[in-house]
């Protein structure tokens, strides 16, 4: 590993890469992707597993320790466990995790665990089949089956991600807390973000998570908490239990000062900030036959572009790409 690890212009150590393996998804969460959307990246533009492995090996040499497989829905990509095995064997990388909607997880949980994935985050915005279908267009039963398969396979922790939406699922906050207490899952509440037209339209359902935290504090004794991982959540623990509840608050209380991550999209673009357009395209360099040293130089070039913070509040119209195009 390099003695000169990646550090951005603001002194933040970059040790976490979210790798999108596809921009496609089998759900259509209304705050993420339009129901009729078909403008996906062409498969010939996707990085191959060999190209992803090569890029992530370079990140590993530069100090990256954590890799998260994302999408779209990563399990839409064929043979994903094969990629996980390759990445888990990279020197310097000691944490492989995945974000998923869990609709396809029941049939692949054991194989993914055997391939080296140890932590998963599952998007679950409602425990009511009708509300789940309203938000996602999908079937809740498939997600619950996937979650139970992941639990049996041995993933720890399993984190439930719930985007809190006013007038839609806000009344289920206590229900999802009870669900996570029952099953030993970690829970993270998320504020909706103005990513693309869908995200901006969803701001009409925005809920300030400080209000949700205050609401829970009236029912539970909440203690300061910590969880392993490289994510942005601020955690509390429910007294007398193992339940940790995280709050991801890009709007009400941004977490940019501690940002330690960048994203690699399915087409090989490094995005340095979810809420800005700073990026560097790696695919043309890879397919022109660049050397490993040139990949490392390009990564350094990308990290030098990382801004101090997002502009979701000041410039909500700035980001035109959908969340699935960036990589969750």
């Amino acid at each position: 590993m390099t003695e000169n690890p990646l550090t951005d212009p603001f002194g933040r150590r970059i040790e976490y890469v979210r790798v999108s393996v596809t921009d496609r998804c089998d759900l259509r969460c209304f705050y993420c992707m339009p129901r009729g959307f078909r403008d996906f990246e062409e498969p010939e533009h996707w990085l191959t597993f060999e190209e992803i492995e090569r890029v992530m090996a370079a990140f590993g040499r530069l100090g990256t320790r954590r890799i998260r497989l994302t999408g779209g829905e990563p399990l839409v990509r064929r043979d994903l466990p094969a990629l996980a095995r390759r990445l888990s064997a990279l020197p310097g990388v000691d944490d492989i995790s995945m974000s998923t909607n869990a609709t396809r997880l029941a049939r692949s949980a054991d194989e993914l665990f055997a391939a080296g994935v140890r932590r998963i985050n599952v998007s679950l915005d409602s425990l009511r089949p009708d509300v789940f279908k309203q938000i996602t267009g999908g079937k809740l039963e498939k997600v619950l089956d996937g979650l139970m398969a992941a639990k049996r396979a041995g993933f720890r922790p399993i984190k439930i991600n719930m985007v809190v939406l006013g007038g839609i699922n806000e009344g289920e906050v206590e229900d999802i807390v009870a669900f996570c207490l029952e099953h030993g899952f970690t829970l993270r509440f998320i504020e909706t973000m103005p990513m693309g037209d869908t995200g901006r339209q969803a701001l009409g359902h925005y809920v300030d998570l400080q209000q949700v935290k205050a609401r829970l504090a009236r029912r539970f004794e909440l203690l300061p908490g910590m969880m392993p991982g490289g994510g942005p959540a601020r955690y509390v623990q429910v007294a007398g239990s193992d339940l940790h509840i995280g709050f991801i608050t890009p709007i009400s209380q941004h977490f940019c000062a501690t940002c330690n991550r960048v994203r690699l999209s399915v087409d090989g673009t490094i995005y340095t900030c979810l809420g800005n357009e700073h990026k560097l395209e790696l695919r043309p360099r890879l397919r022109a036959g660049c050397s490993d040293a040139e990949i490392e130089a390009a990564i350094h070039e990308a990290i030098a572009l990382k801004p101090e913070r997002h502009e979701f509040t000041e410039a909500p119209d700035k980001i035109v790409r959908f969340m699935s195009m960036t990589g969750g």
Side-chain angles (χ1 to χ4, degrees):
M1 186 181 301
T2 181
E3 295 181 0
N4 183 27
L6 291 174
T7 303
D8 76 6
F10 305 94
R12 295 170 296 198
R13 173 92 172 263
I14 308 302
E15 59 174 12
Y16 177 20
V17 182
R18 300 176 67 99
V19 179
S20 175
V21 297
T22 181
D23 59 345
R24 305 185 185 212
C25 189
D26 54 354
L27 296 181
R28 288 294 183 274
C29 300
F30 74 83
Y31 53 78
C32 180
M33 189 189 299
R35 291 287 161 93
F37 183 75
R38 290 293 183 271
D39 190 20
F40 297 110
E41 191 63 61
E42 294 297 328
E44 60 263 30
H45 294 163
W46 298 356
L47 292 191
T48 65
F49 284 0
E50 290 77 13
E51 289 169 331
I52 293 172
E53 181 183 15
R54 191 172 177 218
V55 173
M56 294 317 303
F59 268 105
R61 291 191 297 271
L62 296 173
T64 292
R65 295 178 48 244
R66 298 185 176 101
I67 297 174
R68 176 170 293 276
L69 300 172
T70 73
E73 168 47 46
L75 291 175
V76 170
R77 183 80 181 254
R78 188 176 300 173
D79 298 327
L80 187 66
L83 175 63
R85 280 193 297 272
R86 297 167 79 147
L87 298 182
S88 64
L90 292 176
V93 175
D94 57 22
D95 180 37
I96 305 290
S97 58
M98 183 179 71
S99 292
T100 176
N101 62 30
T103 59
R104 300 168 182 239
L105 190 56
R107 59 179 179 260
S108 58
D110 290 332
E111 192 176 2
L112 284 165
F113 190 84
V117 180
R118 289 294 179 266
R119 300 186 299 113
I120 59 169
N121 293 356
V122 175
S123 177
L124 180 59
D125 292 331
S126 177
L127 292 169
R128 302 174 185 175
D130 57 332
V131 177
F132 184 84
K133 187 172 182 63
Q134 176 190 356
I135 295 171
T136 71
K139 295 182 178 180
L140 175 63
E141 182 181 358
K142 290 183 177 181
V143 177
L144 298 180
D145 288 347
L147 272 170
M148 296 308 117
K151 184 177 176 181
R152 290 191 298 270
F155 289 94
R156 295 291 185 276
I158 296 172
K159 296 180 180 179
I160 302 299
N161 289 344
M162 178 184 183
V163 178
V164 182
L165 301 161
I168 298 179
N169 65 358
E170 185 180 7
E172 294 188 62
V173 164
E174 288 81 4
D175 293 341
I176 203 122
V177 168
F179 175 76
C180 291
L181 278 167
E182 177 185 357
H183 292 287
F185 299 150
T186 296
L187 175 59
R188 284 127 53 95
F189 294 114
I190 304 174
E191 293 176 346
T192 186
M193 292 174 275
M195 294 285 295
D197 290 341
T198 50
R200 282 185 285 276
Q201 291 166 9
L203 283 178
H205 299 283
Y206 169 76
V207 175
D208 183 337
L209 289 187
Q210 309 309 316
Q211 299 172 9
V212 173
K213 185 176 180 180
R215 175 172 148 190
L216 292 175
R218 290 193 289 270
R219 179 165 176 177
F220 303 100
E221 181 182 359
L222 302 180
L223 308 173
M226 293 286 291
M227 284 293 294
R234 296 178 172 95
Y235 284 96
V236 297
Q237 183 174 359
V238 175
S241 78
D242 293 327
L243 176 60
H244 287 76
I245 302 176
F247 300 86
I248 299 178
T249 55
I251 306 299
S252 67
Q253 190 180 16
H254 75 79
F255 38 78
C256 302
T258 58
C259 184
N260 63 349
R261 68 200 69 89
V262 296
R263 289 168 167 81
L264 180 68
S265 71
V266 67
D267 69 350
T269 301
I270 298 176
Y271 288 99
T272 63
C273 176
L274 194 60
N276 264 296
E277 294 289 357
H278 301 71
K279 64 183 181 180
L280 184 142
E281 296 180 1
L282 269 181
R283 189 185 75 239
R285 306 185 192 204
L286 290 169
R287 297 190 177 171
C290 68
S291 67
D292 287 350
E294 287 170 328
I295 296 175
E296 293 181 21
I299 292 171
H300 276 290
E301 183 181 342
I303 301 307
L305 300 173
K306 189 170 174 64
E308 185 174 12
R309 56 161 297 179
H310 67 66
E311 297 180 353
F312 286 141
T313 304
E314 300 88 346
D317 296 331
K318 184 172 184 176
I319 304 301
V320 297
R321 64 184 187 273
F322 301 120
M323 178 73 80
S324 61
M325 297 169 67
T326 305

